[in-house]
Amino acid sequence: MAELEPLYTADEMKAAEAGHDVDAMMHRAGAAVAAELKRRWPDARRIAIHAGGGANGGDGRIAGEILRAPGFELVDERPDVVIDALLGTGLKGAPRGETAQVIEQINRAGVPVLAVDIPSGVNASTGEVAGAAVRADVTVTMHGRKLGLAVAPGRFQAGEVVVADIGIESAETAHWLVTAEILAGVPRRSARDNKYTAGHVLVVGGSRGLTGAAALAARAAFRADVGYVTIAAPAESLPVLETLVLEAVKRPVEGAFEAAANASVLAVGPGLGREPEAKALVRRLLREVELPAVVDADALFELEPGEWPAPRVLTPHEGELARLLGQESKEVAAHRLASVQEAAEKFQAVIVLKGEDSLVAAPGRGLLVCALGLPSLSTAGTGDVLTGVTAAFLAKGMEPQRAAAAACAAQQIASHKAAQRYGLVASDVVEALPSALAG
């Protein structure tokens, strides 16, 4: 398996299909739909097919012809399975009129739904859902996974995605889905390394009452294989941090600039606080220190675009990204792709929009989508873990967008490796990182 799997927009898919026999492609698509239905629901006998007038509908009708065999019945009412072939990848905007009504009818049927190529109502190129949209149990998508199947909210409508071969060649795409194989490209410590050459992360944060955030980032950096971690924190927090992270060197926050002189990477923000002094420190660090930096949590608060002297990786959740863009959280949630790309251009930085589909954008480049984790990662402290891992990978010399995507993959795979997959806490993820990186 490759490190990255192509994600097709509607236009990219149209270009990939150009010059191929349309009838042959449709027959292969319909056959794949019929085969997947029979494989997944072997006892189903009554099939309802909702087919539109385009190629997507043609795929559905061919599936119906194949299923019109002894033992199967095509019905309008009380089906065992519904095939959604109403709308294809060309949808823009919200379904209207009778089509929207049929979508609602499908969702109310109370039976399994198989979507052809993409659930009707989902924008294949963005994942946006402007109106009614089918909630599928499985989507059989043709040739390659569509971007809208990977990006929320569309990904939540798709169910399990099955990619069907329809006999065409791979084509260039701008956006990519991250696979576990990306971790094979993370540099490993060699016999020639010492604790300094293996990477030195400086974590700036850990104000009183928030020392756990800095500790998690520091421990995650260690578990992601850096050789040295320094924590710069307010003086009153240092005794607590001495007990939380034995291996890290501690410095008062006023000494952050001096500590940065020996570091490879900054990790700014975990538990830093939002006092005026903290915000002033963030501004100075990011504008003056010529080291790559990961910027998270409190360091994102009231952050302004600027001329950065080195790469910056910002790791906001939806609410934080909304503040950075001057928007409402619901707008970011509805337009995740557009929002993360806008932020990358505005801040001239790599932006990681965290979520079940973590989106990693860089200025002028395509998106990397990482969706390998468990829902249990939605818990306090996992953002601090991601900060530490991203800083560690930057300290190893990885290109920033790839470092951020690999860090998302490491954290998400660790959620599967952790001893507690349910009731997961951030410390469980930290301890599972070595296993995730070992493969």
Side-chain angles (χ1 to χ4, degrees):
M1 180 184 291
E3 291 185 5
L4 303 173
E5 176 186 337
L7 291 171
Y8 289 84
T9 64
D11 287 343
E12 289 166 345
M13 190 62 203
K14 186 176 180 180
E17 293 174 338
H20 292 83
D21 186 313
V22 174
D23 290 339
M25 288 190 296
M26 290 180 64
H27 182 80
R28 294 186 189 106
V33 168
E36 184 62 25
L37 186 149
K38 290 189 285 188
R39 185 190 71 81
R40 192 170 295 263
W41 297 287
D43 297 328
R45 293 294 177 264
R46 296 168 58 84
I47 314 298
I49 300 176
H50 296 279
N56 189 258
D59 295 344
R61 281 187 286 272
I62 290 171
E65 292 170 6
I66 294 171
L67 290 170
R68 197 186 298 275
F72 288 93
E73 181 182 0
L74 302 185
V75 300
D76 294 323
E77 296 180 354
R78 296 170 53 194
D80 298 319
V81 178
V82 171
I83 294 177
D84 161 36
L86 279 170
L87 302 170
T89 58
L91 171 72
K92 295 179 181 178
R96 301 180 183 277
E98 184 179 349
T99 301
Q101 294 175 11
V102 174
I103 289 173
E104 297 294 353
Q105 176 187 335
I106 292 171
N107 288 339
R108 290 194 303 267
V111 299
V113 177
L114 186 156
V116 177
D117 215 15
I118 193 153
S120 294
V122 174
N123 186 307
S125 299
T126 66
E128 294 179 7
V129 176
V134 166
R135 294 189 298 270
D137 295 275
V138 60
T139 298
V140 178
T141 197
M142 309 311 160
H143 174 62
R145 199 178 298 255
K146 309 306 179 290
L147 182 59
L149 296 173
V151 177
R155 67 174 282 108
F156 299 129
Q157 304 293 128
E160 184 179 344
V161 177
V162 176
V163 178
D165 181 4
I166 57 171
I168 63 179
E169 303 79 20
S170 296
E172 189 65 29
T173 65
H175 310 292
W176 299 83
L177 185 69
V178 174
T179 78
E181 291 301 310
I182 196 172
L183 297 184
V186 176
R188 299 307 199 256
R189 203 178 312 197
S190 74
R192 293 178 179 271
D193 278 319
N194 58 46
K195 61 184 179 183
Y196 303 107
T197 62
H200 178 178
V201 172
L202 170 61
V203 178
V204 182
S207 62
R208 185 169 62 181
L210 300 170
T211 51
L216 284 167
R219 290 174 53 216
F222 271 127
R223 291 301 190 189
D225 199 39
V226 296
Y228 205 95
V229 176
T230 299
I231 304 175
E236 65 269 22
S237 298
L238 295 179
V240 178
L241 287 165
E242 288 283 10
T243 66
L244 292 177
V245 193
L246 301 180
E247 300 86 354
V249 174
K250 290 82 180 178
R251 294 285 184 266
V253 73
E254 296 80 7
F257 285 90
E258 181 182 354
N262 297 313
S264 311
V265 169
L266 301 178
V268 185
L272 182 61
R274 298 178 180 178
E275 292 75 16
E277 301 81 11
K279 289 187 284 188
L281 176 62
V282 170
R283 286 194 293 270
R284 282 196 61 205
L285 285 169
L286 296 183
R287 293 209 178 359
E288 298 177 19
V289 175
E290 296 182 6
L291 295 175
V294 186
V295 188
D296 186 35
D298 291 328
L300 295 171
F301 190 73
E302 296 182 355
L303 184 68
E304 295 291 338
E307 294 290 331
W308 313 123
R312 301 297 182 238
V313 178
L314 281 55
T315 59
H317 54 58
E318 285 177 355
E320 290 166 335
L321 186 60
R323 283 197 298 271
L324 291 172
L325 295 175
Q327 299 177 2
E328 297 291 330
S329 294
K330 63 182 180 181
E331 287 299 308
V332 172
H335 309 286
R336 286 174 64 82
L337 174 65
S339 297
V340 73
Q341 290 180 318
E342 179 184 348
E345 297 300 329
K346 176 179 179 178
F347 287 89
Q348 287 297 295
V350 172
I351 309 292
V352 181
L353 177 52
K354 295 180 287 196
E356 186 161 327
D357 59 326
S358 290
L359 309 185
V360 185
R365 299 172 67 176
L367 199 73
L368 300 180
V369 182
C370 193
L372 299 167
L374 293 173
S376 52
L377 274 173
S378 299
T379 187
T382 52
D384 304 309
V385 174
L386 181 64
T387 295
V389 179
T390 306
F393 291 174
L394 286 171
K396 291 175 176 293
M398 294 186 73
E399 184 276 324
Q401 187 183 23
R402 186 167 289 261
C408 291
Q411 182 197 50
Q412 291 172 9
I413 293 168
S415 72
H416 294 272
K417 302 281 189 178
Q420 295 81 18
R421 294 183 62 188
Y422 303 98
L424 189 77
V425 297
S427 293
D428 299 330
V429 179
V430 172
E431 297 309 314
L433 283 169
S435 179
L437 290 169

